[in-house]
Amino acid sequence: MEDCAFCNADGDFLVVPQKGRLWITTECGRLQVSPGEVVVLPQGFRFSVDLPDGPSRGYVAEIFGTHFQLPDLGPIGANGLAAPRDFLVPGAWFEEGHCPEYTIIQKFGGELFTAKQDFSPFNVVAWHGNYVPYKYDLSKFCPYNTVLFDHSDPSINTVLTAPTEKPGVALLDFVIFPPRWLVAEHTFRPPYYHRNCMSEFMGLIHGGYEAKADGFLPGGASLHICMTPHGPDTKTYEATIAQGNEAGPHKLTDTMAFMFESCLIPRVCPWALDSPAIDPDYYKCWIGLKSHFSPEGTKDPIEARENGPKDSR
Amino acid sequence: MEDCAFCNADGDFLVVPQKGRLWITTECGRLQVSPGEVVVLPQGFRFSVDLPDGPSRGYVAEIFGTHFQLPDLGPIGANGLAAPRDFLVPGAWFEEGHCPEYTIIQKFGGELFTAKQDFSPFNVVAWHGNYVPYKYDLSKFCPYNTVLFDHSDPSINTVLTAPTEKPGVALLDFVIFPPRWLVAEHTFRPPYYHRNCMSEFMGLIHGGYEAKADGFLPGGASLHICMTPHGPDTKTYEATIAQGNEAGPHKLTDTMAFMFESCLIPRVCPWALDSPAIDPDYYKCWIGLKSHFSPEGTKDPIEARENGPKDSR
Amino acid sequence: MEDCAFCNADGDFLVVPQKGRLWITTECGRLQVSPGEVVVLPQGFRFSVDLPDGPSRGYVAEIFGTHFQLPDLGPIGANGLAAPRDFLVPGAWFEEGHCPEYTIIQKFGGELFTAKQDFSPFNVVAWHGNYVPYKYDLSKFCPYNTVLFDHSDPSINTVLTAPTEKPGVALLDFVIFPPRWLVAEHTFRPPYYHRNCMSEFMGLIHGGYEAKADGFLPGGASLHICMTPHGPDTKTYEATIAQGNEAGPHKLTDTMAFMFESCLIPRVCPWALDSPAIDPDYYKCWIGLKSHFSPEGTKDPIEARENGPKDSR
Amino acid sequence: MEDCAFCNADGDFLVVPQKGRLWITTECGRLQVSPGEVVVLPQGFRFSVDLPDGPSRGYVAEIFGTHFQLPDLGPIGANGLAAPRDFLVPGAWFEEGHCPEYTIIQKFGGELFTAKQDFSPFNVVAWHGNYVPYKYDLSKFCPYNTVLFDHSDPSINTVLTAPTEKPGVALLDFVIFPPRWLVAEHTFRPPYYHRNCMSEFMGLIHGGYEAKADGFLPGGASLHICMTPHGPDTKTYEATIAQGNEAGPHKLTDTMAFMFESCLIPRVCPWALDSPAIDPDYYKCWIGLKSHFSPEGTKDPIEARENGPKDSR
Amino acid sequence: MEDCAFCNADGDFLVVPQKGRLWITTECGRLQVSPGEVVVLPQGFRFSVDLPDGPSRGYVAEIFGTHFQLPDLGPIGANGLAAPRDFLVPGAWFEEGHCPEYTIIQKFGGELFTAKQDFSPFNVVAWHGNYVPYKYDLSKFCPYNTVLFDHSDPSINTVLTAPTEKPGVALLDFVIFPPRWLVAEHTFRPPYYHRNCMSEFMGLIHGGYEAKADGFLPGGASLHICMTPHGPDTKTYEATIAQGNEAGPHKLTDTMAFMFESCLIPRVCPWALDSPAIDPDYYKCWIGLKSHFSPEGTKDPIEARENGPKDSR
Amino acid sequence: MEDCAFCNADGDFLVVPQKGRLWITTECGRLQVSPGEVVVLPQGFRFSVDLPDGPSRGYVAEIFGTHFQLPDLGPIGANGLAAPRDFLVPGAWFEEGHCPEYTIIQKFGGELFTAKQDFSPFNVVAWHGNYVPYKYDLSKFCPYNTVLFDHSDPSINTVLTAPTEKPGVALLDFVIFPPRWLVAEHTFRPPYYHRNCMSEFMGLIHGGYEAKADGFLPGGASLHICMTPHGPDTKTYEATIAQGNEAGPHKLTDTMAFMFESCLIPRVCPWALDSPAIDPDYYKCWIGLKSHFSPEGTKDPIEARENGPKDSR
């Protein structure tokens, strides 16, 4: 982006690089962002990106009318998940001098507009305030989970949330699945089968993903739209069942998957639908799933913890 | 409590039996409560208690002007900690007939008043609504914790909370320390040393307590008043340090400690202060604590995770 | 719906049967719904409907992005209008076995999609939680109204409300006009003439409707769009005026009208606009309305209660 | 109060005259208040009272730290109960001239202080704003109630409420029991037997009170403290039972009772406890109450509406 | 508008006349509105406008789904900006008689509909409530600003705000720039250069505007769309710099500019884009702007107040 | 405070030094505080104070159950009053080594307790979070006020506020009266005469105070309790009246008064009441105040801006 800067007048970008570093210059200063880190470029900031490692690849989410914030931690208390002090902002940096044909590309109303000026936009000498680009290293995330039985909702791994005005409903949650210990007993540990009022876009930054034994590679993506049932593939499912209740503590390593989860229904653009990268056989990962339910009760390998007699009420 | 019932006009009782079952008759019906369960008897209910196992022992907290509720789960989502369906209420039950000298003892304004009537107060044939006595089996609690590093605030184990009008400040939190897996790496795992704007009353229902190697027995209690520093005893501390960073997953078993944590400063009544059960040597559990800090940095057994170089900001 | 189930991925259905029972099978179990009852089928549930009485008829409202709830009762207190305990949910019920050509029709983004599977979707053995289909018998509703003078807003008869984020503004209110006593003195008792920021869709389940002497039959519907004035027809108006202030207590019987009232402007689809069921003469019900106002003051049959001298201020 | 004015620095007075008019002069102007009207004199206003009818009598409530407001009407909508336009404020009025020994009596911290000044405090020429004394004529109140079955909570008759910070909990509700129609069918119509987390102070302005056949006279008062059971006297109860389900519409006339209902526990001062006006036999009004319950079900005169078979759930 | 009335079923109009009085008849009565005053005509009111001074000119904003209110004053306290008592509403006024061809034009869903009736809509004899047309004289506005140094945000001059559900984000703010004193020392006093998440439509009622030395005339308008940088023209900027820090108190007189500021992106209609009144040279007002920044620090005419040494932190 | 530290377990201290610097050591590090600065020492921090200039003097406010925060700025927008970046916190600092007789004095429940330890409490090597001592230089405050006419409420000068749960009601507001321009026309510019639901404690850090011509000196204090009228002394009043409407812009210089304003009623302790520093003649500052009101209207020197004819309404 030689003598050229971009500006999004419509909303904020959350960028998740998967391959190749990004050297980003903004009006507030410069940020170096590597795969494993994420960066937020808020609405209205001008920025340019250099690629020191050559071609890069990753994921971008754009949100409108709100900004990302840390989730309210609830009973987690004062510490946990992503810590405020691990979000890094640039120090002020500026450049001066004549730039006869500097181009500003502005995204506005979903279209791109171009303007010329004869100076660099990165001439901001100093700044204060809290409306500013920032980055975050996902390895700083402090994950929580159940530590005796049962399976947590994925919201437990929320890094950032873009709220709506409706409490508990996110325009976009950015959720990760980082390395962590699994210790739940008498529990089916992979992500459970479900359908959801939210739509789930998943990506993989490096390593493998616990719920797909095959076919979900770093740089790939899946989209499970609202109220479409989904869950682990057949291979993962059967392997888990085979293990039964004997699984002890197990540490997931070499993995960093993430989810963009939205209360809105995403549209898939024609460019993607027509892409050769589309996987037309995705649905086959669930072929062969079979019921292990037995009406006699607790004969199933994963013992139903809730099946015991209840206090009458 | 033959032909006699009690009623608290001032507030709600949370009862934590530690030894001996309680058979409780209320206007809404009957509840059998065993050690390991807790029961809430709301303001204004008449009840009587029978002790089928002989003398009983436990803990009682009384709250005024509010009621207990489940904590907002925040990022934990829809499931976890105490589940609504595990709180059990009595089925309607009544008795009729002449009781010539039935006594009602009413606690009102901190004093006890007595009235006589010639019928049982347990003559309520049916009821509906949600203002009702209830019990909860603490073994149903689904604990959460950190699953990679760091130590969670104890609020993560909140069973019930009696809120104030100030968000985040509890009149009384009822918190438990149940059996669970510890997996945090590079972390001092026992409860950390701290002081607190809340006052902490702790009790032990059965087993041992992870932060006191000696001297804290089932049926005992400790009180750490607001802004008084406290933490594990010397023996626990040194044992943890000795273990260093090599501790793998470890399951705490045979333990059920709890905490009543309040934003108000509790007064200790003369009866307790003068009791032979007072432990005058409690402070000695911290004698011999010594600093393991070394200004050279990471030589300390528990490696400081935050000590690495930071991104400049 | 033999070997076929429907699922609405877009929103919730509120179904108001007017003729013929509905036997509904859902993943949570089965509900029998008769005219006089209403049923809510939330977003994402698969269900099939059988018609034991042959062809059926009724009204359906669909809401997006929120769910129905009971209105906050305000000064009505703890009891009144629709009671929580009168909303009935199904008990768990499931079926197993091979269904080679089972069809799922999914409504998503306003379009219908079809999928085939070889098992019944009603294979859910047990469930817990509060996201579930439910029904309500409108005869259980406990109506309130003025009991000395004046005419209440129709909101007093709200059964269920689907809120927006703006307090007091409903995406959809479901309001009924059930049998009840009218006792207001010195008051024009039929629904008053008004125009409204909400749009009002009315239907009639059985009997007559108090504000339309003719032409509004069970199974019919009217739509008064936002800010369009409306009120009783001429016949009802003149009959009320003729009665004057002498009307004593009167019980409305054999009636069950309802209103879907929304802050959004409903569009009428071409199918309805072109239907032979359209009543092109509807506006004629107001022909002949004449002013009874007399500037001399209280000579009008309905004495103006507010016309007396006021305290100076 | 010749050359003398009173000022309450602690809180607001709500005055309910029962006998004799009050001519009140305030810094904002003058108000004439008759029995059947109520007046609020807010914290910090200086006022004097003249009694044109000779000795007067009534009730005064004092509230601290908040002010009275109209209740949120909830589903009642935009109109009903007390209307804002019926609260009347004084027009500005002032007096000038030398008053050599004018006395101000200030209530502050529960004690009375006296100051002398040489001018009238009623020298305010004009004012604006909404912090001002006001009066309300209770006959303007528009009462609501159930109009088919069941008995409303008394909150339905709230004229003014002084809120706490806790939604739904009032420091003081001012509730009236005015003339109105009773039409509920299959319902025990007098105030039901109950105990309450609020404390209830009742007074009678004129006429009789529906729940006490004898012994509650205009100018009298009763106090039912929190969690003390109470309800109609035996005579009222038996008369109602005798009437059975045959009661048709009935209009209560010649009555104006009221309640001060508070979430705080009122203390009764020694002056009142030692007064000859105390009724030591009050409890006797309930002697002879007997159970009409029959386990066989619906044989009781007031048919239990809820006793029919329920849908299984 | 002879025998013709208009009604907006979609939203509220805020009318800012710039030239010529408006005599407005509404169902609530009549308002005379002159340039320098503004008037709000809420959704659903029928009104007609007469022009006693011949052709008129001005600005109209339309808002949907909410209404205008006074801004919460925050630390300004109880008085300041626009006072409630300066908003004037009409007294009731009505006309009777036969109007054989009275036309109602209703704006609904962005289209115009016409209906005929044989009477005037202004036959409303009396009204009460607070949903009513009102006007405000802008010279009654009490402006606030900084009184030592620095430049206030324009929100300090908010007259009316139409809120969204998101705190702090306005659907439309109506802001004025009235005559007032400027006293800030060491401060660049004209509106600062900025870009904004809001879109700003400015108009001028009379006089000049402080940030545009030329070319912004009464009756004109400018639109600075969200995230487009803007500020004073070159002439204003250089004149301010030339003045340096020596400017003492200065009173802005003969000016009344205003801003409609919205969180939504306004569309400019073709009629406006094709108008000969468009100023194609608007951008030239900024040609020649040059940097006065000097890296040596405080040599610049406007001394940077923040440049002094800071406490280390 | 040699080998001695203080800790307040009850609440937070706001310290306003008036004479002599404070060198404060806390567990988070060291702060140097001079007259003209203020410092907040939160509940539970241990600190010691050294006095490099010899004996010191100032004001201390203590708050319970809450903490200070910046006021919500309302229409002031994003900048103004006290800026977050001007609140300075200490950098981490620690000391090690043997301190055989180190004393901790803890204020708890209003009493002082003493403990001995053999090390300095200032052994905290590093910290993070936002619960920390901080200081603020009052000369950084950016004051706002009216800039055309009228007199602002003192809340416009709020530096910090300790809120209650009731919006708009402060447990303690810390308000200052700094150097600033006065420009209001046709306005009585000194603090107006009033009485207040808040109690006002005023102090003077240096210079004079605009509303007291004599007798209020730096280091002095006044207390105007809730609902006690007060205002400028006679000399200030008459001088202002004499000036009439001719006052142009005027800059207040050499002044820094402040107010602790609370919704609670402060008690004056016997030590203060018995002090020789009490000014028994304070009330005499108002002797000789006389009315300038003339019923003929605008003859009074300060022309009543609101007296002109109003639009009829």
Side-chain angles (χ1 to χ4, degrees), chain D residues 77-210:
Chain D
N79 298 288
L81 309 189
R85 69 185 179 280
D86 291 326
F87 289 80
L88 304 182
V89 303
W93 177 92
F94 72 101
E95 64 187 6
E96 285 193 299
H98 192 62
C99 302
E101 279 287 295
Y102 206 100
T103 305
I104 306 292
I105 302 172
Q106 185 118 347
K107 177 173 178 294
F108 170 71
E111 296 181 66
L112 298 180
F113 295 81
T114 298
K116 296 284 183 189
Q117 60 187 38
D118 59 1
F119 57 95
S120 163
F122 305 120
N123 62 353
V124 178
V125 175
W127 59 268
H128 66 79
N130 57 10
Y131 190 67
V132 58
Y134 56 85
K135 72 169 190 173
Y136 177 73
D137 176 352
L138 298 175
S139 73
K140 300 281 182 70
F141 190 79
C142 174
Y144 277 61
N145 213 332
T146 55
V147 288
L148 190 57
F149 62 87
D150 220 337
H151 191 108
S152 181
D153 287 348
S155 55
I156 194 68
N157 284 324
T158 302
V159 180
L160 289 167
T161 183
T164 65
E165 277 78 75
K166 191 166 182 172
V169 177
L171 182 69
L172 195 81
D173 276 339
F174 175 58
V175 176
I176 62 172
F177 301 91
R180 63 200 185 280
W181 282 94
L182 301 181
V183 294
E185 303 169 348
H186 302 100
T187 297
F188 182 79
R189 290 181 178 171
Y192 42 68
Y193 293 91
H194 66 288
R195 53 186 182 272
N196 195 356
C197 62
M198 308 288 279
S199 292
E200 305 176 359
F201 175 97
M202 284 203 62
L204 186 60
I205 302 172
H206 66 75
Y209 176 57
E210 60 191 297

Side-chain angles (χ1 to χ4, degrees), chain A residues 166-178:
Chain A
K166 190 167 181 172
V169 177
L171 180 69
L172 195 81
D173 275 339
F174 175 58
V175 175
I176 62 173
F177 301 91

Side-chain angles (χ1 to χ4, degrees), chain F residues 217-229:
Chain F
L217 301 177
S222 69
L223 176 61
H224 297 108
I225 220 79
C226 102
M227 291 305 169
T228 298

Side-chain angles (χ1 to χ4, degrees), chain D residues 7-10 27 43-46 65-67 94 96 106 108-109 111 125 131 163 165, chain F residues 164-167 169 195-197 199 225-229 265-267 291 293-295 306:
Chain D
C7 177
N8 184 352
D10 292 339
E27 289 161 301
Q43 179 188 22
F45 273 100
R46 290 162 175 194
T66 189
H67 300 293
F94 72 101
E96 285 193 299
Q106 185 118 347
F108 170 71
E111 296 181 66
V125 175
Y131 190 67
E165 277 78 75
Chain F
T164 64
E165 277 79 76
K166 192 167 180 172
V169 177
R195 54 186 181 271
N196 195 357
C197 62
S199 292
I225 220 79
C226 102
M227 291 305 169
T228 298
I265 298 177
R267 292 264 170 186
S291 170
F293 171 71
S294 146
E306 295 297 326

